[in-house]
Amino acid sequence: MKDFLNKFKSKTKSKSGMSLGETLVAVLIILLVSLSLASTMSLAANQYVKTKRKLEANILMSSLCTIVSDELGYATSVKLDSSNNVVSFIGNNYLTDKYTGKLASLNGRLAYVNIDNNNEFIELLAKSAYSNGMKVEMQEPKYNSANNTYKVTIYIKDPGDKPLISKTFDVININGVPEYAS
């Protein structure tokens, strides 16, 4: 057996460098290190995308809450259905023209539905605000007569409709008592 090993060593050993066995071991080690580095980088990239999407969802939620609070808080001529859901109002803050309409989700974006103009949709934020394919859904604002507020719930979802963040908040009604739609 010793003779076999000596013959193998003499045939595989190069006088100018590493033996075949040493080269194979070195290549194997480099492959293992490369694989572990690649998998670590993949995990880090995925985590980065998730964190970035969550942060952008928080920024979008903040913007939407501000717009909805301002629009509903200063709205006039608010009409309610029998369940106290807001059917229509005239916005006095965000929109430059005074339209009768309501807030609604359209194709994953929050918009003002202009009832005066054939249900035209006026987006409240630019398309670029909905980065990474985020979608928004909003429940119809509901009026609470006991404390003169509107309860609003907004959901932000990822492109696969998985919830990223949601927020329920009250908007104080500043401009008079809503009426029931006829």
Side-chain angles (χ1 to χ4, degrees), residues 15-180:
K15 304 236 190 263
S16 63
M18 295 171 40
S19 71
L20 178 61
E22 291 169 335
T23 305
L24 290 175
V25 169
V27 168
L28 185 63
I29 290 171
I30 290 171
L31 282 173
L32 290 174
V33 169
S34 298
L35 284 173
S36 67
L37 186 61
S39 64
T40 302
M41 292 301 284
S42 175
L43 290 172
N46 287 340
Q47 189 60 38
Y48 171 77
V49 168
K50 287 179 187 177
T51 302
K52 183 179 176 191
R53 186 173 282 148
K54 187 80 166 175
L55 289 172
E56 288 174 348
N58 282 316
I59 293 168
L60 178 59
M61 180 64 79
S62 176
S63 299
L64 292 173
C65 289
T66 299
I67 290 171
V68 170
S69 294
D70 290 350
E71 278 301 308
L72 279 177
Y74 295 102
T76 58
S77 302
V78 179
K79 304 285 187 227
L80 306 173
D81 65 12
S82 59
S83 300
N84 283 346
N85 292 323
V86 175
V87 175
S88 68
F89 64 90
I90 296 176
N92 289 307
N93 194 33
Y94 181 76
L95 301 170
T96 55
D97 295 324
K98 305 303 178 218
Y99 300 115
T100 301
K102 67 178 186 172
L103 298 172
S105 300
L106 167 71
N107 298 326
R109 298 191 191 131
L110 193 61
Y112 183 82
V113 181
N114 181 355
I115 295 172
D116 289 342
N117 192 11
N118 295 324
N119 292 329
E120 170 193 20
F121 287 93
I122 303 168
E123 290 193 37
L124 297 177
L125 287 174
K127 183 179 181 178
S128 59
Y130 302 90
S131 59
N132 289 319
M134 287 187 283
K135 301 174 186 176
V136 173
E137 286 184 17
M138 185 181 88
Q139 291 180 346
E140 286 187 1
K142 192 175 209 74
Y143 180 69
N144 181 343
S145 58
N147 56 10
N148 196 32
T149 60
Y150 302 102
K151 182 173 283 309
V152 179
T153 302
I154 299 174
Y155 304 94
I156 297 180
K157 300 178 178 185
D158 70 5
D161 285 335
K162 180 181 166 198
L164 291 172
I165 188 172
S166 67
K167 186 168 187 171
T168 300
F169 58 99
D170 292 326
V171 177
I172 297 172
N173 178 19
I174 296 171
N175 285 334
V177 179
E179 303 170 5
Y180 286 96

